[in-house]
Amino acid sequence: MAEKDVAEKTLEAYNDVFADIVNVLLFQGNPLIKETELEEERTYSSYKADGKLHAQERDVAKYWHSGLIRIALFGLENQTAVDRDMPLRIIGYDGAAYRSQLLSDTQTMRYPIITLVLYFGYKKNWKAPTSLYECLSIPEELKPFVNDYKMNLFQIAYLSEEQVQMFQSDFRIVADYFVQMRKNNDYIAPDTTIKHVHELLQLMSVMTKDNRYNDVYSPDMEGRNVNMCEVLDRVEHRGELRGERRGETRGLDTAFSLVQFLMENNRLNDLKKASEDEAFRNKLLTEFFPNKEK
């Protein structure tokens, strides 16, 4: 992944969000997986190459179990950028999980490994390989002997409105944001209450590359009905404050430049007059610094 995202992992690590994502994307909204049936799995594994041991890390992984019986292992991989080698990465993750079963002394019944790749790009769709065959250059004579391996890719910004409405967790807000941005290049916030406020704002901050989402968070937002309308109001207000501060800073920089110019040119009378007469000062600023803000 071009940008490993701790915020994404934090939000999706909640069982209600994780189960919701899997139920909508795999089972068309049927609540087959209950959040109480999910168990955290370690995300680290390793592989040997060039005589050295290398670590690899999934974004999020959880077991689905019934009682003490593991039914499946689900993994989520978040992508903000297209990766042509993604199918190869998925094989590495899934292979390590199957090998873990092979080496287990306690697990006698084998279970499937299912990885979902969530692509959040909205300016262009995924046009990279989604299977092993598409990653490789295979001579025709060898094709019958090479097993293919497909990738379960879900382009969040290209979900239908019906699919977005199937989500019951905070992920509906995330999906709705990217769908709106793809369609309109703009976002109108719903009045949906956010459950995991801090984690959602962290996610929005990373995805939009706008730190104001993270900066506007405060503990008082927890435990009450906070929605994206309130968040955007706070974000907009913070942006206005930053704009005002930048304007003040630019104004001070320009005034300092004028002072330096007048002193270096021994125009001390003009400097004294500029400090007392705003109209004269602005005239000098326009004359000597026409491209700078006053």
Side-chain angles (χ1 to χ4, degrees), residues 186-203:
D186 193 14
Y187 176 62
I188 300 176
D191 59 2
T192 308
T193 299
I194 304 170
K195 181 177 180 181
H196 308 294
V197 180
H198 194 195
E199 292 75 14
L200 181 65
L201 294 183
Q202 285 180 320
L203 171 61

Side-chain angles (χ1 to χ4, degrees), residues 231-288:
V231 169
L232 291 183
D233 285 344
R234 291 192 180 204
V235 167
E236 185 177 349
H237 178 63
R238 191 173 186 87
E240 290 172 352
L241 289 178
R242 285 186 177 178
E244 290 171 3
R245 289 173 188 146
R246 282 195 297 269
E248 291 169 2
T249 301
R250 285 194 294 267
L252 290 172
D253 289 343
T254 305
F256 182 70
S257 298
L258 176 62
V259 170
Q260 281 187 313
F261 176 82
L262 294 176
M263 290 181 66
E264 289 171 357
N265 289 274
N266 200 30
R267 297 176 59 169
L268 301 182
N269 289 334
D270 284 345
L271 176 60
K272 183 176 185 302
K273 184 175 179 180
S275 67
E276 300 170 346
D277 187 334
E278 182 179 356
F280 180 68
R281 180 171 65 250
N282 287 337
K283 176 179 177 295
L284 293 179
L285 288 170
T286 302
E287 179 181 349
F288 299 122

